[in-house]
Structures are given as structure tokens and as C-alpha cells.
Amino acid sequence: MKIHVLLFWLGSNLYAISTSPVREVLPIAALTAAPGQPPIIRGFLNVRGSAVPVIRLRRLFGFDERDPRRYTPLILVDSGSAMLALEVDALEEVVEHDEAATQPLAAGHSANDCAEGMIAWNGREAILLSFKRLLLAQEMERVRALQGAMQERLNALAAEVQ
């Protein structure tokens, strides 16, 4: 079966994610920090009235930190139960990929088995990520709790303006 994947960079590493949960790509904007937010969250982005947590993939994967630049891309993804923005270094392109050509990885190869396999692109290998397994269940619960609190704050501010 053919799928479309979005290729992106973190440092010198090339990654891919299925485009099915991707809603849009945005440049980084002003973010609001939540008290007690874990270090994997850079802050919260207001996307059309919704508080969306920005996940630092560099931090999540244990890479050196890098301050975001003016046009640092955020990949907005929807898991069905939560909207997240994934902070990446650069976007490459959307390509069609034959799932049967994915080279599987052994279990335990990546944290939470978020790496589904390797795919080939223009003579390079890209790590195909599973969006649903990027965060541990406990991390996702914490992110959702903070997201709920930030959404309440955003709603209260919007009510004051009206």
C-alpha cells in the first residue's frame, strides 16, 4: 500500500511521519509557557482559539538544544484525542512511500518503539516515526492536563475581551 510521508530534519538526521495525522505546517510564533510544564514542551501556541502544546523533538530524542529561529517549522498533528505541534529543524518534502518497502527495526530500537522502520529517499535513509508512540502514556496524560488548563485560560481571556 502506498502512503504519503512528510520528511523533516533534526540536525543531520532525516525523519519521516505519515501525513494522515498532519493538519498543517506553521512557522513558530509567540508561545505561552504553562507553570510546571515538562521540558519536552516549549510552550503553547494559540491556533484559532485552541491551545496547542509545542513538543521539542530535539529534547525528546536527546539531541543538543537549539533555540528556534524565525521560521522554525511546527508540524501540527491530530491524534484524534489531542492536537500537538512538533518542532523540527527543517522540512524536506512530502513523498509517496510503499509501506512494503519499509525496513523494520527490532523491538526496543527506539524509545517507546516510536521508530517504525527505515525508508529510502534519494539515496538516504529516513527514520519512519509513529506519531501515536512518540510520547509515553504518562507523558501524554501530563500534556493533555496542561493543555486543558491552558485552554481554560485562553477561553477566560477571550471572554474578557468580548
Side-chain angles (χ1 to χ4, degrees):
M1 181 169 126
K2 299 278 188 180
I3 62 168
H4 287 93
V5 296
L6 173 60
L7 297 168
F8 63 89
W9 295 93
L10 286 175
S12 61
N13 299 304
L14 184 61
Y15 293 89
I17 189 168
S18 168
T19 58
S20 61
V22 174
R23 295 298 160 249
E24 63 185 300
V25 175
L26 303 167
I28 199 159
L31 303 176
T32 302
Q37 72 186 27
I40 62 166
I41 296 178
R42 182 166 299 282
F44 287 81
L45 181 66
N46 180 348
V47 179
R48 292 177 287 286
S50 294
V52 177
V54 175
I55 306 298
R56 298 176 180 185
L57 287 186
R58 280 183 158 273
R59 172 70 70 119
L60 188 66
F61 294 163
F63 295 151
D64 290 338
E65 283 294 309
R66 180 173 125 179
D67 288 333
R69 294 183 171 90
R70 173 179 250 168
Y71 297 106
T72 294
L74 301 176
I75 304 170
L76 209 60
V77 290
D78 186 355
S79 70
S81 62
M83 185 80 73
L84 302 174
L86 307 177
E87 181 186 312
V88 301
D89 292 346
L91 298 176
E92 190 61 49
E93 66 179 298
V94 173
V95 297
E96 189 175 74
H97 171 67
D98 183 357
E99 281 186 302
T102 302
Q103 299 170 8
L105 296 174
H109 183 78
S110 62
N112 208 31
D113 287 326
C114 68
E116 294 183 333
M118 301 293 283
I119 66 171
W121 174 77
N122 282 353
R124 293 190 60 111
E125 288 188 327
I127 301 168
L128 179 62
L129 298 175
S130 166
F131 164 68
K132 291 184 178 184
R133 293 192 307 253
L134 275 176
L135 300 177
L136 299 171
Q138 303 92 317
E139 291 172 321
M140 195 60 186
E141 285 175 29
R142 180 73 177 130
V143 167
R144 282 190 189 123
L146 284 170
Q147 188 173 19
M150 290 304 290
Q151 188 63 52
E152 286 178 21
R153 182 173 180 217
L154 189 59
N155 292 345
L157 289 172
E160 285 181 19
V161 171
Q162 294 175 349

PDB file of all heavy atoms in Angstrom, residues 58-93:
ATOM      1  N   ARG A  58      13.832  17.660  19.485  1.00  0.00           N
ATOM      2  CA  ARG A  58      15.261  17.581  19.823  1.00  0.00           C
ATOM      3  C   ARG A  58      15.440  17.125  21.270  1.00  0.00           C
ATOM      4  O   ARG A  58      16.251  16.267  21.564  1.00  0.00           O
ATOM      5  CB  ARG A  58      15.941  18.942  19.645  1.00  0.00           C
ATOM      6  CG  ARG A  58      16.296  19.274  18.230  1.00  0.00           C
ATOM      7  CD  ARG A  58      17.049  20.619  18.179  1.00  0.00           C
ATOM      8  NE  ARG A  58      17.818  20.676  16.972  1.00  0.00           N
ATOM      9  CZ  ARG A  58      19.051  20.206  16.844  1.00  0.00           C
ATOM     10  NH1 ARG A  58      19.650  19.656  17.863  1.00  0.00           N
ATOM     11  NH2 ARG A  58      19.673  20.281  15.692  1.00  0.00           N
ATOM     12  N   ARG A  59      14.680  17.702  22.183  1.00  0.00           N
ATOM     13  CA  ARG A  59      14.767  17.354  23.604  1.00  0.00           C
ATOM     14  C   ARG A  59      14.282  15.931  23.808  1.00  0.00           C
ATOM     15  O   ARG A  59      14.893  15.151  24.530  1.00  0.00           O
ATOM     16  CB  ARG A  59      13.920  18.348  24.412  1.00  0.00           C
ATOM     17  CG  ARG A  59      13.744  18.020  25.875  1.00  0.00           C
ATOM     18  CD  ARG A  59      15.017  18.179  26.687  1.00  0.00           C
ATOM     19  NE  ARG A  59      15.424  19.542  26.854  1.00  0.00           N
ATOM     20  CZ  ARG A  59      15.530  20.148  28.012  1.00  0.00           C
ATOM     21  NH1 ARG A  59      15.223  19.513  29.115  1.00  0.00           N
ATOM     22  NH2 ARG A  59      15.956  21.377  28.078  1.00  0.00           N
ATOM     23  N   LEU A  60      13.171  15.583  23.165  1.00  0.00           N
ATOM     24  CA  LEU A  60      12.593  14.251  23.308  1.00  0.00           C
ATOM     25  C   LEU A  60      13.576  13.170  22.871  1.00  0.00           C
ATOM     26  O   LEU A  60      13.680  12.117  23.490  1.00  0.00           O
ATOM     27  CB  LEU A  60      11.292  14.154  22.500  1.00  0.00           C
ATOM     28  CG  LEU A  60      10.466  12.901  22.688  1.00  0.00           C
ATOM     29  CD1 LEU A  60       9.904  12.820  24.102  1.00  0.00           C
ATOM     30  CD2 LEU A  60       9.322  12.873  21.684  1.00  0.00           C
ATOM     31  N   PHE A  61      14.325  13.432  21.799  1.00  0.00           N
ATOM     32  CA  PHE A  61      15.266  12.449  21.267  1.00  0.00           C
ATOM     33  C   PHE A  61      16.668  12.575  21.851  1.00  0.00           C
ATOM     34  O   PHE A  61      17.579  11.865  21.463  1.00  0.00           O
ATOM     35  CB  PHE A  61      15.344  12.546  19.743  1.00  0.00           C
ATOM     36  CG  PHE A  61      14.066  12.159  19.039  1.00  0.00           C
ATOM     37  CD1 PHE A  61      13.865  12.522  17.730  1.00  0.00           C
ATOM     38  CD2 PHE A  61      13.069  11.441  19.672  1.00  0.00           C
ATOM     39  CE1 PHE A  61      12.699  12.164  17.067  1.00  0.00           C
ATOM     40  CE2 PHE A  61      11.908  11.085  19.027  1.00  0.00           C
ATOM     41  CZ  PHE A  61      11.721  11.447  17.717  1.00  0.00           C
ATOM     42  N   GLY A  62      16.875  13.512  22.786  1.00  0.00           N
ATOM     43  CA  GLY A  62      18.169  13.636  23.461  1.00  0.00           C
ATOM     44  C   GLY A  62      19.230  14.370  22.661  1.00  0.00           C
ATOM     45  O   GLY A  62      20.423  14.219  22.929  1.00  0.00           O
ATOM     46  N   PHE A  63      18.831  15.202  21.685  1.00  0.00           N
ATOM     47  CA  PHE A  63      19.789  15.985  20.913  1.00  0.00           C
ATOM     48  C   PHE A  63      20.112  17.278  21.652  1.00  0.00           C
ATOM     49  O   PHE A  63      19.374  17.702  22.533  1.00  0.00           O
ATOM     50  CB  PHE A  63      19.231  16.347  19.531  1.00  0.00           C
ATOM     51  CG  PHE A  63      18.984  15.169  18.623  1.00  0.00           C
ATOM     52  CD1 PHE A  63      17.994  15.223  17.665  1.00  0.00           C
ATOM     53  CD2 PHE A  63      19.723  14.007  18.725  1.00  0.00           C
ATOM     54  CE1 PHE A  63      17.750  14.152  16.823  1.00  0.00           C
ATOM     55  CE2 PHE A  63      19.495  12.927  17.886  1.00  0.00           C
ATOM     56  CZ  PHE A  63      18.509  13.009  16.938  1.00  0.00           C
ATOM     57  N   ASP A  64      21.207  17.929  21.244  1.00  0.00           N
ATOM     58  CA  ASP A  64      21.554  19.235  21.797  1.00  0.00           C
ATOM     59  C   ASP A  64      20.421  20.214  21.514  1.00  0.00           C
ATOM     60  O   ASP A  64      19.810  20.180  20.445  1.00  0.00           O
ATOM     61  CB  ASP A  64      22.848  19.768  21.169  1.00  0.00           C
ATOM     62  CG  ASP A  64      24.068  18.974  21.611  1.00  0.00           C
ATOM     63  OD1 ASP A  64      24.006  18.316  22.671  1.00  0.00           O
ATOM     64  OD2 ASP A  64      25.078  19.018  20.885  1.00  0.00           O
ATOM     65  N   GLU A  65      20.175  21.080  22.489  1.00  0.00           N
ATOM     66  CA  GLU A  65      19.134  22.096  22.326  1.00  0.00           C
ATOM     67  C   GLU A  65      19.568  23.132  21.305  1.00  0.00           C
ATOM     68  O   GLU A  65      20.758  23.392  21.131  1.00  0.00           O
ATOM     69  CB  GLU A  65      18.864  22.790  23.666  1.00  0.00           C
ATOM     70  CG  GLU A  65      18.027  21.966  24.599  1.00  0.00           C
ATOM     71  CD  GLU A  65      16.618  21.735  24.101  1.00  0.00           C
ATOM     72  OE1 GLU A  65      15.923  22.692  23.722  1.00  0.00           O
ATOM     73  OE2 GLU A  65      16.199  20.569  24.091  1.00  0.00           O
ATOM     74  N   ARG A  66      18.580  23.694  20.664  1.00  0.00           N
ATOM     75  CA  ARG A  66      18.806  24.768  19.703  1.00  0.00           C
ATOM     76  C   ARG A  66      17.636  25.723  19.821  1.00  0.00           C
ATOM     77  O   ARG A  66      16.483  25.289  19.816  1.00  0.00           O
ATOM     78  CB  ARG A  66      18.884  24.165  18.302  1.00  0.00           C
ATOM     79  CG  ARG A  66      19.123  25.137  17.209  1.00  0.00           C
ATOM     80  CD  ARG A  66      19.349  24.398  15.921  1.00  0.00           C
ATOM     81  NE  ARG A  66      18.409  24.895  14.932  1.00  0.00           N
ATOM     82  CZ  ARG A  66      18.351  24.486  13.703  1.00  0.00           C
ATOM     83  NH1 ARG A  66      19.124  23.508  13.303  1.00  0.00           N
ATOM     84  NH2 ARG A  66      17.495  25.001  12.875  1.00  0.00           N
ATOM     85  N   ASP A  67      17.918  27.008  19.955  1.00  0.00           N
ATOM     86  CA  ASP A  67      16.835  27.975  20.029  1.00  0.00           C
ATOM     87  C   ASP A  67      16.118  28.028  18.685  1.00  0.00           C
ATOM     88  O   ASP A  67      16.755  27.957  17.630  1.00  0.00           O
ATOM     89  CB  ASP A  67      17.368  29.372  20.374  1.00  0.00           C
ATOM     90  CG  ASP A  67      17.832  29.468  21.820  1.00  0.00           C
ATOM     91  OD1 ASP A  67      17.303  28.704  22.663  1.00  0.00           O
ATOM     92  OD2 ASP A  67      18.723  30.295  22.103  1.00  0.00           O
ATOM     93  N   PRO A  68      14.798  28.157  18.732  1.00  0.00           N
ATOM     94  CA  PRO A  68      14.067  28.235  17.466  1.00  0.00           C
ATOM     95  C   PRO A  68      14.437  29.507  16.713  1.00  0.00           C
ATOM     96  O   PRO A  68      14.768  30.525  17.310  1.00  0.00           O
ATOM     97  CB  PRO A  68      12.600  28.237  17.881  1.00  0.00           C
ATOM     98  CG  PRO A  68      12.579  28.587  19.323  1.00  0.00           C
ATOM     99  CD  PRO A  68      13.918  28.238  19.886  1.00  0.00           C
ATOM    100  N   ARG A  69      14.377  29.402  15.402  1.00  0.00           N
ATOM    101  CA  ARG A  69      14.638  30.556  14.547  1.00  0.00           C
ATOM    102  C   ARG A  69      13.297  31.140  14.105  1.00  0.00           C
ATOM    103  O   ARG A  69      12.240  30.569  14.379  1.00  0.00           O
ATOM    104  CB  ARG A  69      15.476  30.111  13.355  1.00  0.00           C
ATOM    105  CG  ARG A  69      16.864  29.654  13.791  1.00  0.00           C
ATOM    106  CD  ARG A  69      17.726  29.291  12.592  1.00  0.00           C
ATOM    107  NE  ARG A  69      19.092  29.069  12.984  1.00  0.00           N
ATOM    108  CZ  ARG A  69      19.586  27.888  13.350  1.00  0.00           C
ATOM    109  NH1 ARG A  69      18.810  26.829  13.385  1.00  0.00           N
ATOM    110  NH2 ARG A  69      20.845  27.768  13.681  1.00  0.00           N
ATOM    111  N   ARG A  70      13.350  32.217  13.398  1.00  0.00           N
ATOM    112  CA  ARG A  70      12.127  32.911  12.978  1.00  0.00           C
ATOM    113  C   ARG A  70      11.154  32.000  12.239  1.00  0.00           C
ATOM    114  O   ARG A  70       9.946  32.092  12.437  1.00  0.00           O
ATOM    115  CB  ARG A  70      12.495  34.094  12.105  1.00  0.00           C
ATOM    116  CG  ARG A  70      11.299  34.759  11.496  1.00  0.00           C
ATOM    117  CD  ARG A  70      11.674  35.929  10.662  1.00  0.00           C
ATOM    118  NE  ARG A  70      11.219  37.098  11.381  1.00  0.00           N
ATOM    119  CZ  ARG A  70      11.550  38.320  11.084  1.00  0.00           C
ATOM    120  NH1 ARG A  70      12.383  38.552  10.105  1.00  0.00           N
ATOM    121  NH2 ARG A  70      11.065  39.321  11.767  1.00  0.00           N
ATOM    122  N   TYR A  71      11.648  31.141  11.373  1.00  0.00           N
ATOM    123  CA  TYR A  71      10.762  30.280  10.584  1.00  0.00           C
ATOM    124  C   TYR A  71      10.898  28.804  10.950  1.00  0.00           C
ATOM    125  O   TYR A  71      10.669  27.936  10.118  1.00  0.00           O
ATOM    126  CB  TYR A  71      11.006  30.490   9.084  1.00  0.00           C
ATOM    127  CG  TYR A  71      10.683  31.904   8.666  1.00  0.00           C
ATOM    128  CD1 TYR A  71      11.685  32.816   8.377  1.00  0.00           C
ATOM    129  CD2 TYR A  71       9.361  32.333   8.610  1.00  0.00           C
ATOM    130  CE1 TYR A  71      11.385  34.121   8.019  1.00  0.00           C
ATOM    131  CE2 TYR A  71       9.049  33.633   8.254  1.00  0.00           C
ATOM    132  CZ  TYR A  71      10.061  34.517   7.960  1.00  0.00           C
ATOM    133  OH  TYR A  71       9.749  35.806   7.615  1.00  0.00           O
ATOM    134  N   THR A  72      11.260  28.518  12.179  1.00  0.00           N
ATOM    135  CA  THR A  72      11.323  27.122  12.623  1.00  0.00           C
ATOM    136  C   THR A  72       9.952  26.493  12.379  1.00  0.00           C
ATOM    137  O   THR A  72       8.936  27.020  12.833  1.00  0.00           O
ATOM    138  CB  THR A  72      11.697  27.034  14.113  1.00  0.00           C
ATOM    139  OG1 THR A  72      13.034  27.516  14.275  1.00  0.00           O
ATOM    140  CG2 THR A  72      11.599  25.599  14.626  1.00  0.00           C
ATOM    141  N   PRO A  73       9.914  25.369  11.636  1.00  0.00           N
ATOM    142  CA  PRO A  73       8.609  24.782  11.328  1.00  0.00           C
ATOM    143  C   PRO A  73       8.012  23.980  12.477  1.00  0.00           C
ATOM    144  O   PRO A  73       8.718  23.310  13.222  1.00  0.00           O
ATOM    145  CB  PRO A  73       8.898  23.869  10.126  1.00  0.00           C
ATOM    146  CG  PRO A  73      10.363  23.638  10.135  1.00  0.00           C
ATOM    147  CD  PRO A  73      11.011  24.720  10.933  1.00  0.00           C
ATOM    148  N   LEU A  74       6.704  24.090  12.586  1.00  0.00           N
ATOM    149  CA  LEU A  74       5.921  23.296  13.527  1.00  0.00           C
ATOM    150  C   LEU A  74       4.961  22.448  12.705  1.00  0.00           C
ATOM    151  O   LEU A  74       4.210  22.973  11.891  1.00  0.00           O
ATOM    152  CB  LEU A  74       5.118  24.191  14.473  1.00  0.00           C
ATOM    153  CG  LEU A  74       5.912  25.167  15.336  1.00  0.00           C
ATOM    154  CD1 LEU A  74       4.960  26.034  16.148  1.00  0.00           C
ATOM    155  CD2 LEU A  74       6.881  24.429  16.238  1.00  0.00           C
ATOM    156  N   ILE A  75       5.016  21.133  12.926  1.00  0.00           N
ATOM    157  CA  ILE A  75       4.114  20.217  12.221  1.00  0.00           C
ATOM    158  C   ILE A  75       2.928  19.978  13.137  1.00  0.00           C
ATOM    159  O   ILE A  75       3.068  19.372  14.194  1.00  0.00           O
ATOM    160  CB  ILE A  75       4.822  18.885  11.881  1.00  0.00           C
ATOM    161  CG1 ILE A  75       6.088  19.143  11.059  1.00  0.00           C
ATOM    162  CG2 ILE A  75       3.864  17.949  11.157  1.00  0.00           C
ATOM    163  CD1 ILE A  75       6.974  17.909  10.887  1.00  0.00           C
ATOM    164  N   LEU A  76       1.770  20.478  12.738  1.00  0.00           N
ATOM    165  CA  LEU A  76       0.553  20.329  13.533  1.00  0.00           C
ATOM    166  C   LEU A  76      -0.061  18.972  13.231  1.00  0.00           C
ATOM    167  O   LEU A  76      -0.408  18.676  12.086  1.00  0.00           O
ATOM    168  CB  LEU A  76      -0.423  21.446  13.159  1.00  0.00           C
ATOM    169  CG  LEU A  76      -1.382  21.928  14.208  1.00  0.00           C
ATOM    170  CD1 LEU A  76      -0.649  22.472  15.414  1.00  0.00           C
ATOM    171  CD2 LEU A  76      -2.294  22.988  13.631  1.00  0.00           C
ATOM    172  N   VAL A  77      -0.146  18.127  14.257  1.00  0.00           N
ATOM    173  CA  VAL A  77      -0.673  16.765  14.088  1.00  0.00           C
ATOM    174  C   VAL A  77      -1.863  16.545  15.013  1.00  0.00           C
ATOM    175  O   VAL A  77      -1.934  17.101  16.104  1.00  0.00           O
ATOM    176  CB  VAL A  77       0.412  15.689  14.337  1.00  0.00           C
ATOM    177  CG1 VAL A  77       1.456  15.682  13.237  1.00  0.00           C
ATOM    178  CG2 VAL A  77       1.097  15.889  15.681  1.00  0.00           C
ATOM    179  N   ASP A  78      -2.796  15.725  14.563  1.00  0.00           N
ATOM    180  CA  ASP A  78      -4.012  15.436  15.311  1.00  0.00           C
ATOM    181  C   ASP A  78      -4.101  13.939  15.544  1.00  0.00           C
ATOM    182  O   ASP A  78      -4.179  13.160  14.597  1.00  0.00           O
ATOM    183  CB  ASP A  78      -5.228  15.920  14.520  1.00  0.00           C
ATOM    184  CG  ASP A  78      -6.527  15.801  15.271  1.00  0.00           C
ATOM    185  OD1 ASP A  78      -6.537  15.244  16.389  1.00  0.00           O
ATOM    186  OD2 ASP A  78      -7.548  16.259  14.731  1.00  0.00           O
ATOM    187  N   SER A  79      -4.100  13.552  16.820  1.00  0.00           N
ATOM    188  CA  SER A  79      -4.175  12.130  17.155  1.00  0.00           C
ATOM    189  C   SER A  79      -5.611  11.661  17.304  1.00  0.00           C
ATOM    190  O   SER A  79      -5.868  10.507  17.585  1.00  0.00           O
ATOM    191  CB  SER A  79      -3.433  11.860  18.469  1.00  0.00           C
ATOM    192  OG  SER A  79      -4.143  12.427  19.550  1.00  0.00           O
ATOM    193  N   GLY A  80      -6.547  12.574  17.140  1.00  0.00           N
ATOM    194  CA  GLY A  80      -7.944  12.240  17.371  1.00  0.00           C
ATOM    195  C   GLY A  80      -8.372  12.690  18.750  1.00  0.00           C
ATOM    196  O   GLY A  80      -9.468  13.180  18.947  1.00  0.00           O
ATOM    197  N   SER A  81      -7.473  12.558  19.720  1.00  0.00           N
ATOM    198  CA  SER A  81      -7.804  12.992  21.079  1.00  0.00           C
ATOM    199  C   SER A  81      -7.000  14.217  21.495  1.00  0.00           C
ATOM    200  O   SER A  81      -7.298  14.824  22.516  1.00  0.00           O
ATOM    201  CB  SER A  81      -7.552  11.851  22.071  1.00  0.00           C
ATOM    202  OG  SER A  81      -6.188  11.511  22.070  1.00  0.00           O
ATOM    203  N   ALA A  82      -5.984  14.567  20.730  1.00  0.00           N
ATOM    204  CA  ALA A  82      -5.171  15.734  21.072  1.00  0.00           C
ATOM    205  C   ALA A  82      -4.497  16.285  19.824  1.00  0.00           C
ATOM    206  O   ALA A  82      -4.141  15.539  18.924  1.00  0.00           O
ATOM    207  CB  ALA A  82      -4.110  15.363  22.103  1.00  0.00           C
ATOM    208  N   MET A  83      -4.352  17.593  19.810  1.00  0.00           N
ATOM    209  CA  MET A  83      -3.611  18.273  18.747  1.00  0.00           C
ATOM    210  C   MET A  83      -2.266  18.665  19.346  1.00  0.00           C
ATOM    211  O   MET A  83      -2.209  19.204  20.451  1.00  0.00           O
ATOM    212  CB  MET A  83      -4.376  19.512  18.299  1.00  0.00           C
ATOM    213  CG  MET A  83      -3.766  20.227  17.133  1.00  0.00           C
ATOM    214  SD  MET A  83      -4.122  19.482  15.543  1.00  0.00           S
ATOM    215  CE  MET A  83      -5.816  19.933  15.336  1.00  0.00           C
ATOM    216  N   LEU A  84      -1.180  18.351  18.636  1.00  0.00           N
ATOM    217  CA  LEU A  84       0.168  18.695  19.071  1.00  0.00           C
ATOM    218  C   LEU A  84       0.896  19.372  17.926  1.00  0.00           C
ATOM    219  O   LEU A  84       0.596  19.122  16.752  1.00  0.00           O
ATOM    220  CB  LEU A  84       0.958  17.448  19.457  1.00  0.00           C
ATOM    221  CG  LEU A  84       0.424  16.530  20.546  1.00  0.00           C
ATOM    222  CD1 LEU A  84       1.291  15.289  20.653  1.00  0.00           C
ATOM    223  CD2 LEU A  84       0.394  17.254  21.873  1.00  0.00           C
ATOM    224  N   ALA A  85       1.881  20.197  18.258  1.00  0.00           N
ATOM    225  CA  ALA A  85       2.766  20.781  17.257  1.00  0.00           C
ATOM    226  C   ALA A  85       4.159  20.220  17.517  1.00  0.00           C
ATOM    227  O   ALA A  85       4.669  20.304  18.631  1.00  0.00           O
ATOM    228  CB  ALA A  85       2.766  22.298  17.357  1.00  0.00           C
ATOM    229  N   LEU A  86       4.750  19.617  16.503  1.00  0.00           N
ATOM    230  CA  LEU A  86       6.087  19.035  16.608  1.00  0.00           C
ATOM    231  C   LEU A  86       7.099  20.037  16.064  1.00  0.00           C
ATOM    232  O   LEU A  86       7.040  20.410  14.892  1.00  0.00           O
ATOM    233  CB  LEU A  86       6.166  17.725  15.830  1.00  0.00           C
ATOM    234  CG  LEU A  86       5.104  16.672  16.160  1.00  0.00           C
ATOM    235  CD1 LEU A  86       5.265  15.461  15.252  1.00  0.00           C
ATOM    236  CD2 LEU A  86       5.174  16.274  17.627  1.00  0.00           C
ATOM    237  N   GLU A  87       8.022  20.481  16.916  1.00  0.00           N
ATOM    238  CA  GLU A  87       9.055  21.422  16.494  1.00  0.00           C
ATOM    239  C   GLU A  87      10.187  20.648  15.834  1.00  0.00           C
ATOM    240  O   GLU A  87      10.774  19.754  16.450  1.00  0.00           O
ATOM    241  CB  GLU A  87       9.576  22.190  17.703  1.00  0.00           C
ATOM    242  CG  GLU A  87      10.638  23.205  17.374  1.00  0.00           C
ATOM    243  CD  GLU A  87      11.216  23.844  18.627  1.00  0.00           C
ATOM    244  OE1 GLU A  87      10.453  24.267  19.507  1.00  0.00           O
ATOM    245  OE2 GLU A  87      12.458  23.892  18.716  1.00  0.00           O
ATOM    246  N   VAL A  88      10.488  20.987  14.589  1.00  0.00           N
ATOM    247  CA  VAL A  88      11.563  20.326  13.843  1.00  0.00           C
ATOM    248  C   VAL A  88      12.526  21.403  13.334  1.00  0.00           C
ATOM    249  O   VAL A  88      12.212  22.591  13.361  1.00  0.00           O
ATOM    250  CB  VAL A  88      11.005  19.461  12.680  1.00  0.00           C
ATOM    251  CG1 VAL A  88      10.056  18.399  13.216  1.00  0.00           C
ATOM    252  CG2 VAL A  88      10.306  20.292  11.628  1.00  0.00           C
ATOM    253  N   ASP A  89      13.694  20.979  12.859  1.00  0.00           N
ATOM    254  CA  ASP A  89      14.675  21.944  12.366  1.00  0.00           C
ATOM    255  C   ASP A  89      14.340  22.455  10.967  1.00  0.00           C
ATOM    256  O   ASP A  89      14.487  23.636  10.679  1.00  0.00           O
ATOM    257  CB  ASP A  89      16.077  21.330  12.349  1.00  0.00           C
ATOM    258  CG  ASP A  89      16.613  21.067  13.743  1.00  0.00           C
ATOM    259  OD1 ASP A  89      16.045  21.589  14.725  1.00  0.00           O
ATOM    260  OD2 ASP A  89      17.605  20.318  13.856  1.00  0.00           O
ATOM    261  N   ALA A  90      13.936  21.546  10.094  1.00  0.00           N
ATOM    262  CA  ALA A  90      13.644  21.925   8.710  1.00  0.00           C
ATOM    263  C   ALA A  90      12.752  20.864   8.075  1.00  0.00           C
ATOM    264  O   ALA A  90      12.801  19.690   8.461  1.00  0.00           O
ATOM    265  CB  ALA A  90      14.941  22.057   7.910  1.00  0.00           C
ATOM    266  N   LEU A  91      11.968  21.298   7.112  1.00  0.00           N
ATOM    267  CA  LEU A  91      11.139  20.376   6.338  1.00  0.00           C
ATOM    268  C   LEU A  91      11.845  20.046   5.043  1.00  0.00           C
ATOM    269  O   LEU A  91      12.591  20.863   4.503  1.00  0.00           O
ATOM    270  CB  LEU A  91       9.785  21.011   6.021  1.00  0.00           C
ATOM    271  CG  LEU A  91       8.907  21.360   7.215  1.00  0.00           C
ATOM    272  CD1 LEU A  91       7.655  22.073   6.744  1.00  0.00           C
ATOM    273  CD2 LEU A  91       8.550  20.117   8.001  1.00  0.00           C
ATOM    274  N   GLU A  92      11.609  18.856   4.538  1.00  0.00           N
ATOM    275  CA  GLU A  92      12.182  18.465   3.250  1.00  0.00           C
ATOM    276  C   GLU A  92      11.081  18.470   2.197  1.00  0.00           C
ATOM    277  O   GLU A  92      10.995  19.375   1.397  1.00  0.00           O
ATOM    278  CB  GLU A  92      12.843  17.084   3.368  1.00  0.00           C
ATOM    279  CG  GLU A  92      13.662  16.695   2.171  1.00  0.00           C
ATOM    280  CD  GLU A  92      14.820  17.644   1.899  1.00  0.00           C
ATOM    281  OE1 GLU A  92      15.590  17.980   2.796  1.00  0.00           O
ATOM    282  OE2 GLU A  92      14.938  18.048   0.726  1.00  0.00           O
ATOM    283  N   GLU A  93      10.230  17.457   2.209  1.00  0.00           N
ATOM    284  CA  GLU A  93       9.129  17.383   1.257  1.00  0.00           C
ATOM    285  C   GLU A  93       8.188  16.248   1.630  1.00  0.00           C
ATOM    286  O   GLU A  93       8.480  15.450   2.513  1.00  0.00           O
ATOM    287  CB  GLU A  93       9.648  17.184  -0.172  1.00  0.00           C
ATOM    288  CG  GLU A  93      10.336  15.851  -0.432  1.00  0.00           C
ATOM    289  CD  GLU A  93      10.801  15.707  -1.876  1.00  0.00           C
ATOM    290  OE1 GLU A  93       9.955  15.715  -2.779  1.00  0.00           O
ATOM    291  OE2 GLU A  93      12.019  15.593  -2.077  1.00  0.00           O
TER     292      GLU A  93
END
